[in-house]
Amino acid sequence: MLQEILDHYNYWIAIMLMMVGFYTVVARGNLVKKIVGLNIFQTSVFLLYISMGKVTGGTAPILDERFTVYSNPIPHVLILTAIVVGVATTALGLALVVRIKESYGTIEEDELDLMDGET
Amino acid sequence: MNTLLAHLPALQVVVPLVAAPLCLLAGRAGLAWIIAFLAAAFATVAAALLAYQTLHHDPISYAMGGWAPPWGIEYAVDTANAFILLLVSAIACLVLVFCRTSIPKEIRAGREHLFYCMYTLCLTGLLGIAITGDAFNVFVFLEISSLSSYALIAMGGQRKSLTAAFQYLIMGTIGATFFLIGVGLLYMMTGTLNMADLAKRIPEIQDSRPILAAFAFITVGLALKAALFPLHLWLPNAYAFAPSGVSAFMAATATKVSLYVLLRFTFTIYGAEFAFANLPLSWVLLVPAVIAMFAGTFSAMFQRDIKRMLAYSSVAQIGYITLAISLGTNAGIMAALVHIFNHGLMKAALFCAMGCIFYRIGSTRIDQLAGLGRQMPWTFAAIVAGGLSLLGVPLTAGFISKWYLVQAAMQSNLWPLVALIVVSSLLAVVYVWRLIEALYFKEPSLGNEAVVEAPMSMLVPTLLLAGANIYFGVDTRLPVAMAENAANLLMLGLGQ
């Protein structure tokens, strides 16, 4: 049992990060903390993808006659795209947080709800 | 000309994609609008040509960049996605005409070109999701359309637009990330991302846990993007506080495209047997769909803001579409596709009409638009046409979709469902009547005496959309032929 967990430690870490991030998004009222949680959540998926590209004993996927076993580069490429998407999401989210702070004067979710309820 | 036609699937997406930065560089509202409009018009023509080709010939497979599938990215066009492409680009084109007049009044001055840039990007994303035959590519386009729509909603000018956009950003990103996890698990097990290839490889290992988990992640992720109850929380505020043109465009297309992807994954990739015989997808979709039909309708009745009311009505309508999908039959898919098309038409018409009213009085609250129907007769006519279509009155497009929906439920011998569909449609009379009563039968409220009909440039697209609701209620050949053909293709699956 313990060995099984240790053998797949990368997946366990990915799942733990996923839950930590997801929990932060749901439970935290501060908008910046929500964005941070979202980031952790997305990062866990990056780890999941990178893990699956690993080939035991494989080297970096650069063509060279000395090596025959390579890691699978496709998941890496895919996740580069996803990282870019993540950066764009974070940037847009933070930009929105700045605008919200400017117009409401707060970035706490419960205070925002209160202010929205009044108008 | 022939080479141009051969590359039509790529141009369908590339032209709006290139137009977006050009709008940004144009720097001026007028020029940016012309660029955006040309791109949307081109997309409409391209989609019509593709639809014609797929309806009369075989599905098209286009190897992006010359890399043969399954290694490269394939653009696979059949009737199902040609239908969606046509809907998305035609609505985008009409709403863009509407935006030319409405947008300068609704967003901060000097930012119009940024709006058109985001709008064309959103169009690119939606077209890309529909046309691609590559599972990961769907995610990329999903995020292109989502990120631009968050920005579009935030441009709404009201303070609440910002919180609505933020809420949508959080929920939308979670949905897209769920989808990404699902696609990752599929790739892990099959080693491919091409949809046709996935469909071939999944049956061999369909009982393995990652494949099942992938299906769950993809379904939940897409349900979030499609705003299926109870994952619809982002939708009412997003539609209510976005600029009118954006509400019209997104209500008609964004959630529909996600539902299309759900259809594609369920039927083409996993296959109907896997989803409906081995797994209880039928119940998983049916129960939320029925709750959505009623919860959406009831919430709509009590809204004081008409845009919010229409948004809740969208939640209910998405319920109908999901209900049709959950039947898992040929007739069900057909009903879903017909309703995707018809609901796009009615919501675009209604949101545009509300945009006309907003343009004149600066509000869409029900107590402020009393009696306006007599002062704005054409806008009122569009609202009546759209409202009747929403209810499913005969001779409107809405009737056709309800007809196929009820027929599909009867074919599956689900009589209680038929009753539920009819009852929830009747309940919708309440909120549509509230709107019509306020507009026509109430005494005009103070300060609105001088209000006149909306400008021609906004009225024409609104009336065209409203007219389409009547036209496709009488002449149903196009949506029915395309939906029928698409349903057969989807049922067949690619794996067999």
Side-chain angles (χ1 to χ4, degrees), chain A residues 11 18 22 25 31 34-35 38 41-42 45 48-49 52 72 74-75 78-79 81-82 85 88-89 92-93 96-97 99-100 103-104 112 115-116 119, chain B residues 108 111 136 139-140 143 146-148 150-151 154 159-163 165-166 169-170 173-174 177-185 187-188 193 217:
Chain A
Y11 292 106
M18 203 178 278
F22 198 41
V25 175
L31 301 190
K34 271 185 192 289
I35 296 281
L38 204 61
F41 181 56
Q42 288 179 310
V45 185
L48 181 76
Y49 266 74
M52 71 175 91
N72 183 357
I74 301 272
L78 296 180
I79 228 55
T81 316
V85 169
T89 312
L92 183 58
L96 282 173
V97 172
R99 291 280 307 276
I100 288 173
S103 33
Y104 285 83
L112 289 173
M115 291 169 78
D116 272 345
T119 48
Chain B
R108 241 194 263 178
R111 294 205 174 166
F136 192 80
F139 166 75
V140 176
E143 284 295 37
S146 306
L147 285 167
S148 45
Y150 309 145
R159 171 163 99 154
K160 276 189 188 173
S161 312
L162 298 171
T163 39
F166 188 83
L169 181 133
I170 296 286
T173 307
I174 290 174
T177 310
F178 266 52
F179 181 78
L180 184 63
I181 297 171
V183 171
L185 292 172
Y187 180 74
M188 199 176 195
L193 289 165
F217 273 116

Side-chain angles (χ1 to χ4, degrees), chain B residues 5 8-9 11-16 35-53 77 81-97 119-120 123-124 127 131 249 253 341 345 464-465 472 478 482:
Chain B
L5 278 179
L8 212 52
L11 290 172
Q12 173 87 71
V13 179
V14 170
V15 168
I35 296 169
F37 181 75
L38 286 177
F42 175 84
T44 312
V45 174
L49 286 173
L50 286 175
Y52 179 82
Q53 255 179 303
V77 194
N81 48 9
F83 193 36
I84 303 289
L85 291 173
L86 190 60
L87 172 74
V88 171
S89 43
I91 299 261
C93 205
L94 281 173
V95 173
L96 204 52
V97 176
Y119 189 95
T120 11
L123 173 65
T124 310
L127 292 173
I131 205 171
F249 178 50
T253 56
F341 182 79
L345 294 180
L464 275 176
L465 285 164
F472 287 111
L478 173 76
M482 293 217 67

Side-chain angles (χ1 to χ4, degrees), chain B residues 357-382:
Chain B
I357 291 182
F358 188 86
Y359 185 80
R360 283 296 180 222
I361 66 169
S363 165
T364 50
R365 286 174 63 90
I366 197 156
D367 43 2
Q368 300 200 352
L369 42 82
L372 278 182
R374 275 171 281 183
Q375 283 152 280
M376 306 174 76
W378 289 108
T379 309
F380 181 64

Side-chain angles (χ1 to χ4, degrees), chain B residues 84 126 129 138 142 145-146 168 179 218-219 221-227 234 253-265 325 340:
Chain B
I84 303 289
L126 295 173
I129 299 172
V138 172
L142 193 69
S145 73
S146 306
Y168 184 22
F179 181 78
I218 288 171
T219 309
L222 290 174
L224 238 169
K225 297 297 296 185
W234 59 267
T253 56
T255 48
K256 309 297 158 1
V257 171
S258 300
L259 286 167
Y260 155 77
V261 182
L262 185 64
L263 274 173
R264 185 59 90 191
F265 269 83
I325 298 174
I340 284 177

